[in-house]
Amino acid sequence: MVNHAPAQQLVQGQSLGLRSVAGHTLGNHTCAAPSMSPSPSKTSENHSDSDSNQGSDGLVGPSRAEGGWKNQPRNSISHKQKKLFYMWLLDNTRFPFPTENERLAYLDVDHVSEKQFKYWFANIRCRQFTKHRDSEGNLYFAPNAKFYESCIRMGLAIPHAIPADVRRVMKQPRKYSMRRL
């Protein structure tokens, strides 16, 4: 049976999961207990106030009102970077994994972080390519309709014919786009 006692009545050392109330343990970090007496508690001596990750609501982590993680800007890849990456993918549709040298060369374009580069390619492979195995059991990838739609939207010339089964499920491109390429 779970004890649903108010936060003020919980004893020091009890864990409340990922977010914890002041005076309780979170992993190997113990928050300082609210003290009514002027003397500091034992746990507050273990760390300074600058180490505390406690929000104004008494819970660990930044609150939404204090500009928490939801208010941080999203680091998106620029249009120039996407276009460059899609051009590379058009030439390497059978095996869309950049080599170490290619990866290092593309990291210099608009200062893309290695993590962004890795996650962008992983997401594209997952969302816009289909895995297949040939008769010998070797893995290869085939782009789906979403990939070709993205290339057309980016204004890229597709160097090979789009397979008929993929062309059938593609959405028709809009004739009048509000966005300039």
Side-chain angles (χ1 to χ4, degrees):
M1 184 170 145
V2 177
N3 184 7
H4 294 286
Q8 293 85 6
Q9 295 176 358
L10 289 173
V11 209
Q12 187 167 349
Q14 286 182 330
S15 177
L16 296 177
L18 293 176
R19 295 184 66 155
S20 82
V21 177
H24 304 289
T25 304
L26 176 66
N28 43 355
H29 175 75
T30 303
C31 297
S35 176
M36 299 303 232
S37 64
S39 64
S41 66
K42 271 188 175 179
T43 56
S44 64
E45 293 172 1
N46 294 341
H47 69 281
S48 65
D49 290 337
S50 63
D51 292 342
S52 179
N53 193 17
Q54 196 171 18
S56 61
D57 56 359
L59 299 175
V60 175
S63 67
R64 179 171 273 193
E66 296 168 345
W69 64 271
K70 289 214 178 225
N71 296 334
Q72 292 177 354
R74 183 174 168 196
N75 294 332
S76 298
I77 290 185
S78 72
H79 183 74
K80 178 182 173 184
Q81 293 163 340
K82 283 182 192 176
K83 194 169 187 173
L84 193 63
F85 295 164
Y86 272 108
M87 286 171 36
W88 184 88
L89 284 169
L90 277 170
D91 294 334
N92 300 284
T93 54
R94 297 275 293 173
F95 195 71
F97 293 89
T99 63
E100 184 73 18
N101 293 335
E102 290 168 332
R103 184 179 59 80
L104 292 174
Y106 285 122
L107 288 179
D108 291 336
V109 177
D110 288 343
H111 306 289
V112 180
S113 73
E114 193 168 347
K115 188 176 180 179
Q116 277 182 312
F117 184 85
K118 182 178 82 170
Y119 279 111
W120 190 86
F121 271 92
N123 285 333
I124 292 298
R125 281 191 298 268
C126 180
R127 296 173 186 164
Q128 298 184 6
F129 283 83
T130 309
K131 286 183 189 178
H132 296 284
R133 296 223 176 248
D134 61 10
S135 58
E136 298 169 0
N138 297 325
L139 182 69
Y140 72 94
F141 290 79
N144 60 23
K146 219 173 176 183
F147 173 76
Y148 289 113
E149 289 166 1
S150 297
C151 289
I152 291 169
R153 191 173 51 249
M154 302 282 288
L156 299 174
I158 299 171
H160 54 275
I162 300 173
D165 58 331
V166 173
R167 188 178 288 278
R168 261 195 315 273
V169 295
M170 284 178 65
K171 294 178 185 174
Q172 294 299 316
R174 288 184 247 163
K175 291 183 180 180
Y176 304 104
S177 177
M178 299 297 287
R179 183 174 166 213
R180 291 183 113 182
L181 297 176

